[in-house]
Every structure is written in structure tokens, then in C-alpha cells.
Amino acid sequence: MATSHPLSAPLTFSPRLKHYMWGGRRLTDLLGRDTPDGIVAESWEVSGHTSEPSIVNRGPLSGRDLPGLVAEYGVSLVGTRGGEAAERGIFPLLVKLLDATHALSVQVHPDNMYAAAHNLGEPGKTEMWYVLHAERGACIIHGLQAGIDRAALRRAISRGTVPDCLNRVPVEPGDAILVPAGTVHGILSGVVLVEVQQCSDTTYRIHDWDRPGPDGRPRQLHIERALDVIDFSGAVPAPAAPRLVGEGRGVTREVLADCDEFVVERVGMDAGCDFEARLDGETCEVWGILSGSATLEAGQGGGLQLRSVAFALLPATIGRLRVRAGEDVVALRAYLP
């Protein structure tokens, strides 16, 4: 009997947990995740980053890490749209769950050009947030107030008045916020979200709420690097409204983020309905079931059932894909543009 190709089925991974000081217990209490006792801030769901690589937890590739799979299979896994990343052994996307029980630092990430020019060893970082839970009055920081230029921000840093310069945006479950590289941002307390981003962990902190770090001392700030990479163009960013791209037969598709680095759709499905597509080598896809349950039928792998909140990576050459909703489903679908 012929054996199926290792990339002929969806890949699922064991979460990689991060225990930063701003986390809490809501990945377990709200999302039903099985986590160890103590603070859990992030769960890296699909990661090719060398610091926390995802490990396949089922099928013929069980035990293999995602960077190793990229090195072996290249564009067969990632897709031709990610050919440059595959040549460098990089899986271009990183998907996380975050529990901001307490506020994260105010920070900014470099873009690809800055990362290359300064030999950072990884790309820049554009990211998108999808809010799963928000307490009443919860906000995020998305950019600077109008009129804040480099000189004004430097003065605020020296005076300790950075919070007065920040653009706060209220959020609710279902909101999506694109955070391009160079945008000052921060996730404030009371928010649980999915983050889809470039595969990078370079972060420059501007302000950390004058709190001590785990060792009792203030965490390091990166003022000069931050000032170098911040986009001071003057435009105050705003969350983009979802763009309807498909509707019918019990399935609705909306584009939540569309940038040079990734596209993220929200797919709504009524119970018993199917979404069908075909992956013929251009791009891999990451699917995340956020509510309800669905079966992913792809390639030669049979059916993979996912219940909220769970993620799977579909290799670019997997061929036919059918997502069948066992109950009403809200899903995220991320792919390369």
C-alpha cells in the first residue's frame, strides 16, 4: 500500500507557553485551555521562531519542529508566495493567543527594511489583533495622538508623560486591529486576543508604566531604537472595518487585515454548512476555530476535528480543502498575499 506524503494532512502543534508578568489565568478560565498553574501570558500556537518553535503533535511528522519542516520542504509547505522566506528557512507567520490581565508595555516594532539594514537576524514585525474577550471599558493603544512628532515624544519620555501622547481605542469582542510596523501600540488590561504576525520577536519598549520587572528592577527600555523606527507621518491609525468578500450557502467571509505580509479573513459558518477551497502551491493557510466546532477535510489526511479555540496549519500543496461546520462556527483564516 502506498503511503501518503507527509504534507498531505493538516498539521497541528503543541502550544508553547510564555509566562510574562502581565498575563493571568484566562486562557484556561475563558478559553478552556489546559495550562499549568500560575501566570500564562501567551500561547504560541503556530510558530517557526527559533526561540519557541512549534512541535507537531499528531500524524507522521509528530515530534518535528516547524523550522525543520520549512528547511526540508520549503515552498511545498509555505507556498511560492513565501519563497523568499522559505529560502532563508523562515516560516513567515506566527500565531499567538494573549491574555492581557495587566497592561503590556508601550512598544513599537521595526519594519523589514530596518531589520535588514541593522542585521537583526529576523524580519520586521507587522501584526494584527482579533479580540476574543474585553472587559467593560477595555482599550488598546494604537498610534500616537495627532501632532506628536519625534521631538514631542522625546520630551514626553524625558518628563515621564508618555501616556498623554497615546491614542487609546476602546475594543469589544470581534474587533480586529492591524498594527503595521512602526506603529506605537500596547494592549491594555482586560483583553484576550489572537495575534497574527510576522515571524519576529524584536520589540522596542518606550514606556512600561513605571512598574518593576520580575527581578524587582524596571525593565529595559529601548528609546533610541524606538525613535528610529516609529512612523511619525502624522496619521492617527484607526481600526479597519471588515470587508465582505463572500456570502452564501451559510458561509460568510470578511477580510479583516490585508497587508504586504499577510491576509486574515473571518469566516462565519452555519451548522452543517461547508467551506471549500483548493491549495495548489501558492500559499499555506492557518485556520483557527474561535467558536463552535468544525472538521477540516484536506488532502489525504481524512478529517481533523477542531473545537474552539484551536489552530491548524494547511501546507500549500495539500490540494482540496473542505471545512465542515458541526455547529455554528467563527474562524480565522490567515494566508500569504
Side-chain angles (χ1 to χ4, degrees):
M1 174 184 266
T3 58
S4 62
H5 190 277
L7 297 184
S8 64
L11 301 176
T12 60
F13 305 96
S14 300
R16 304 298 296 264
L17 303 180
K18 301 288 235 179
H19 306 281
Y20 302 131
M21 56 188 281
W22 43 263
R25 295 297 306 162
R26 291 181 300 185
L27 297 188
T28 294
D29 296 344
L30 292 179
L31 305 187
R33 286 306 190 88
D34 182 13
T35 61
D37 293 340
I39 290 174
V40 178
E42 296 183 356
S43 178
W44 292 25
E45 300 291 306
V46 180
S47 167
H49 199 277
T50 54
S51 69
E52 292 287 353
S54 288
I55 308 296
V56 179
N57 62 8
R58 62 183 290 277
L61 295 174
S62 184
R64 297 285 304 276
D65 66 56
L66 187 50
L69 296 180
V70 174
E72 180 172 353
Y73 294 107
V75 294
S76 294
L77 173 61
V78 174
T80 55
R81 297 178 190 174
E84 182 179 345
E87 286 179 4
R88 292 181 286 135
I90 296 173
F91 186 76
L93 301 178
L94 201 165
V95 180
K96 306 174 180 177
L97 293 169
L98 284 81
D99 172 11
T101 293
H102 306 284
L104 280 67
S105 62
V106 181
Q107 55 191 241
V108 66
H109 306 299
D111 62 16
N112 294 333
M113 290 182 60
Y114 185 94
H118 291 80
N119 299 311
L120 298 183
E122 59 183 12
K125 183 177 172 183
T126 286
E127 59 194 271
M128 187 217 75
W129 303 332
Y130 184 85
V131 179
L132 298 175
H133 167 82
E135 296 178 2
R136 179 175 295 182
C139 294
I140 54 96
I141 293 164
H142 195 216
L144 299 169
Q145 294 279 355
I148 300 297
D149 58 12
R150 182 188 180 101
L153 184 58
R154 185 182 285 280
R155 286 194 300 270
I157 291 168
S158 65
R159 296 170 181 171
T161 58
V162 169
D164 296 338
C165 301
L166 306 175
N167 180 47
R168 287 172 171 80
V169 178
V171 290
E172 298 179 349
D175 286 348
I177 301 97
L178 179 65
V179 185
T183 303
V184 174
H185 63 276
I187 304 169
L188 301 182
S189 60
V191 178
V192 177
L193 54 79
V194 179
E195 180 173 296
V196 179
Q197 58 160 94
Q198 290 178 267
C199 187
S200 173
D201 203 31
T202 301
T203 297
Y204 301 139
R205 295 191 198 102
I206 304 164
H207 180 75
D208 201 27
W209 312 108
D210 302 319
R211 63 187 168 190
D215 61 359
R217 290 184 277 182
R219 292 197 295 173
Q220 182 182 6
L221 302 180
H222 315 93
I223 302 304
E224 295 306 320
R225 282 288 178 106
L227 290 172
D228 282 347
V229 305
I230 291 172
D231 179 4
F232 288 105
S233 64
V236 177
R243 175 166 53 90
L244 184 67
V245 293
E247 187 173 28
R249 298 179 180 269
V251 178
T252 301
R253 294 171 47 222
E254 301 168 288
V255 171
L256 303 178
D258 187 351
C259 59
D260 291 341
E261 290 74 29
F262 50 76
V263 179
V264 180
E265 296 182 7
R266 177 169 55 200
V267 183
M269 303 176 62
D270 295 339
C273 293
D274 294 347
F275 170 88
E276 296 191 9
R278 188 168 184 86
L279 279 68
D280 282 336
E282 289 192 359
T283 178
C284 58
E285 295 190 6
V286 176
W287 277 75
I289 304 302
L290 305 184
S291 65
S293 66
T295 301
L296 276 60
E297 300 172 359
Q300 303 171 31
L304 169 66
Q305 187 173 50
L306 295 181
R307 288 190 167 275
S308 59
V309 171
F311 296 83
L313 168 60
L314 303 178
T317 51
I318 204 168
R320 169 185 165 274
L321 165 67
R322 174 185 289 168
V323 182
R324 173 160 290 176
E327 50 191 302
D328 290 353
V329 162
V330 174
L332 291 185
R333 176 194 188 199
Y335 52 91
L336 305 179

